[in-house]
Amino acid sequence: MGDDHVPLPGSDRSAPAGTRLVGPVGDDDRIEVTVVLRRRVDPQSGKTADAAAVSDAEPRNGSPVGTMSRSALAARFGADPADLQTVRRIVASASCNVLRVDRASRRVRICGTAAALGNLFGVTLQQSALPDEQGGATFRHHSGEISVPVELDGIVVAVLGLDARPQARPHFRPAPPVGAQPRQPAGPVSFTPPQLGAIYEFPEGTDGAGHVLAIIELGGGFRRRDLRTYFDGIAVPLPTVQAHGVDGAKNSPSDDPTGPDGEVMLDIEVAGALAPGALLKVYFAPNTDAGFLDAVAEASRDLPTPTAISISWGQADVQWTGQARTAMDEAFIDAALLGITVTVAAGDDGSNDRVGDGNPHVDFPASSPHVLACGGTSLVADLAAGAALSETVWNDGSTGGATGGGVSQNFALPAWQDSVGVPQAPGGGTGRGVPDVSAVADPRTGYAVLVDGQRAVYGGTSAVAPLWAALVCRISERLGRPLGLMQPTMYRGVTAGTAPTGFRDVTQGNNGAYAAGLGWDACTGLGVPIGRLLLTVVSAGPSAS
């Protein structure tokens, strides 16, 4: 790196463990990347861009609550036009092109050859291959820090997409074969989403009509004939489902029900069955840090504005770069300012989140304080009565999966969790507690689905995110307004060891390092919803408008 470049904080990456180096990326290969700029004004501090710079170790954890128009968001908290002009000039001087600009989300999509982008951002790009047991696919990556021209120092806060390694995994699990596990549920082996809507007492007389429920997908696809068959089979009107491509991705079913198609179909079927009146928009993006961010930003900026965004993909937050975590969290702040509630799966690998270092970890983006983190339970119910008989923490052991949950080391404790008894973060200190809420996720007491023409039972916290997104749409329908960031209202008055209003507390079980108990815990959060009571709680809270 010469004197004309400076390091970009939080951009350092190592070569992926367990992969095989294939060789350098061709100099003439065309690459697209997403550049994220600083805000004109910080929405939580009111400081201007120059004064609002925050280090990677000091994430912003306020609680924006409000509904802004997209134009107002761009004008107040978007990119400064002068910064955009500087970026355009520097990109052009590097023989690269600006493809599109979104001032509100502060994103500039640029393209160029690998050689030109490598020079612009001070990196050498390599190709590596995943292990054969992970599919063996090749991907582009860099090692070390990204750097930016000195004129962009402080203006550019993230450069995403130079490294195109898979950034997230879907959080769904098929039910184990009969006899594969010694413990069998005492109740039914699967539920349809409408049955769960009755058990969790979703507000009667609502179906999400007039609202948009967005779903983020990083692979896979759906076929409309499967959706027609599924919804006919559960006697629910077929919802309107639209597919939207981001960064060149599209609806691409693979005919592999255990692959990403399983995630896509689970999300659509749960959300559509519980909010059939809502318009479902499914955003397909590449499984990279840039693709993930762009999908969230595109969903948030679309019109009509979504009431909820459901995300069932993630990875341990230590496996994200600081710049990517911060850029994603800022996108969730924007969503909250627009009145959108973002529901995110908390993970399916217990308190270690598949890191394997013997320490507890939380999943991101569930660990962002600006999303509703969704954990998982195991449910036994009386379907005739439409009532739960018992509900415990989902934990089927190391081979069967368990709900994610824990304490973040990267996001500070939000004010609304101050009094609920969040334990210390690993290594000491305080941090954002995960999850906030829960619902059934155990595949042994899971969701009846249809994927690639095959009927199956799926679980995982992947199913909980769309369930909660559908509930948000139905509560919003009844209240006549969006809910935005719900936690300041839901946590109000909740103290350690007390059962919160609007929830059925789950007090039995553990996810590894953390155990359930009375009140909030790092397994199931505040508990599972009692929809009719939660409606009352939310209606008494601050209006998102």
Side-chain angles (χ1 to χ4, degrees):
M1 181 178 64
D3 294 338
D4 58 342
H5 278 62
V6 295
L8 181 61
S11 64
D12 187 43
R13 296 209 89 160
S14 301
T19 58
R20 174 177 54 84
L21 182 64
V22 175
V25 173
D27 284 348
D28 294 330
D29 286 2
R30 183 180 182 276
I31 295 171
E32 295 185 12
V33 301
T34 297
V35 177
V36 185
L37 310 189
R38 63 186 177 184
R39 292 187 186 275
R40 189 175 190 178
V41 176
D42 188 290
Q44 297 171 94
S45 69
K47 296 178 181 179
T48 59
D50 288 336
V54 176
S55 74
D56 181 54
E58 298 174 324
R60 307 168 206 183
N61 289 322
S63 300
V65 178
T67 297
M68 301 181 68
S69 67
R70 190 170 179 276
S71 59
L73 176 66
R76 292 182 62 187
F77 305 128
D80 190 307
D83 287 349
L84 289 170
Q85 185 176 2
T86 300
V87 170
R88 286 182 181 275
R89 178 171 53 81
I90 297 297
V91 168
S93 68
S95 300
C96 298
N97 298 309
V98 172
L99 298 177
R100 58 185 178 272
V101 173
D102 183 20
R103 184 182 169 197
S105 64
R106 300 162 291 112
R107 292 175 301 129
V108 180
R109 187 75 173 170
I110 70 173
C111 71
T113 64
L117 287 172
N119 289 332
L120 177 59
F121 295 116
V123 294
T124 299
L125 300 175
Q126 302 281 345
Q127 288 273 10
S128 286
L130 291 170
D132 291 341
E133 60 270 19
Q134 297 180 31
T138 59
F139 58 92
R140 181 181 67 248
H141 69 90
H142 69 84
S143 297
E145 286 183 311
I146 294 170
S147 63
V148 297
V150 290
E151 288 184 85
L152 298 182
D153 185 21
I155 293 177
V156 170
V157 297
V159 177
L160 307 178
L162 287 171
D163 194 306
R165 73 187 72 187
Q167 185 58 69
R169 58 180 179 269
H171 291 318
F172 79 97
R173 289 192 178 238
V178 175
Q181 292 183 337
R183 186 165 62 95
Q184 297 292 332
V189 295
S190 68
F191 303 95
T192 66
Q195 289 170 334
L196 292 171
I199 291 168
Y200 291 133
E201 301 185 55
F202 278 33
E204 294 183 354
T206 62
D207 66 358
H211 293 265
V212 175
L213 194 164
I215 301 171
I216 305 299
E217 302 293 358
L218 303 179
F222 66 91
R223 289 188 171 86
R224 297 188 186 278
R225 66 173 181 267
D226 281 346
L227 295 181
R228 285 192 294 270
T229 300
Y230 178 77
F231 285 100
D232 285 347
I234 61 173
V236 171
L238 179 67
T240 301
V241 182
Q242 298 177 352
H244 296 262
V246 178
D247 294 349
K250 61 182 180 179
N251 176 24
S252 301
S254 65
D255 293 322
D256 179 6
T258 64
D261 288 2
E263 182 59 71
V264 175
M265 294 298 287
L266 175 65
D267 291 342
I268 295 173
E269 289 169 1
V270 172
L274 288 170
L279 169 61
L280 271 56
K281 292 188 174 182
V282 188
Y283 295 83
F284 291 93
N287 188 3
T288 64
D289 52 10
F292 207 157
L293 172 68
D294 289 342
V296 172
E298 292 295 317
S300 299
R301 70 187 286 272
D302 214 347
L303 293 175
T305 301
T307 297
I309 297 176
S310 175
I311 300 175
S312 295
W313 298 70
Q315 186 169 230
D317 62 1
V318 297
Q319 295 167 329
W320 291 70
T321 61
Q323 62 160 356
R325 273 196 312 267
T326 299
M328 289 284 287
D329 184 52
E330 292 280 355
F332 298 136
I333 291 175
D334 287 349
L337 289 168
L338 294 168
I340 303 168
T341 304
V342 183
T343 62
V344 181
D348 296 351
D349 295 282
S351 60
N352 66 50
D353 205 24
R354 210 185 290 189
V355 176
D357 62 358
N359 298 314
H361 295 276
V362 288
D363 208 73
F364 184 82
S367 61
S368 163
H370 301 106
V371 305
L372 190 71
C374 301
T377 66
S378 180
L379 171 67
V380 177
D382 181 345
L383 288 182
L389 298 177
S390 69
E391 200 153 5
T392 57
V393 176
W394 169 40
N395 188 344
D396 289 336
S398 59
T399 58
T403 182
V407 184
S408 174
Q409 299 180 71
N410 292 297
F411 293 98
L413 182 73
W416 32 265
Q417 282 189 327
D418 275 345
S419 62
V420 300
V422 176
Q424 281 198 324
T430 60
R432 191 275 205 257
V434 179
D436 296 303
V437 297
S438 289
V440 61
D442 187 341
R444 298 175 308 103
T445 63
Y447 297 68
V449 294
L450 178 71
V451 182
D452 293 332
Q454 299 183 31
R455 298 195 179 276
V457 177
Y458 283 1
T461 55
S462 279
V464 186
L467 180 148
W468 268 92
L471 178 56
V472 167
C473 287
R474 289 176 59 168
I475 291 176
S476 295
E477 177 190 0
R478 178 62 56 84
L479 295 180
R481 59 173 172 83
L483 304 181
L485 190 71
M486 298 173 64
Q487 288 95 316
T489 299
M490 294 194 310
Y491 278 87
R492 181 187 297 149
V494 179
T495 57
T498 61
T501 303
F503 295 86
R504 181 159 42 80
D505 204 1
V506 177
T507 60
Q508 300 295 318
N510 69 81
N511 67 353
Y514 303 97
L518 188 63
W520 183 91
D521 56 63
C523 299
T524 59
L526 297 169
V528 299
I530 304 175
R532 59 181 177 81
L533 297 181
L534 188 61
L535 171 65
T536 302
V537 170
V538 173
S539 66
S543 169
S545 59

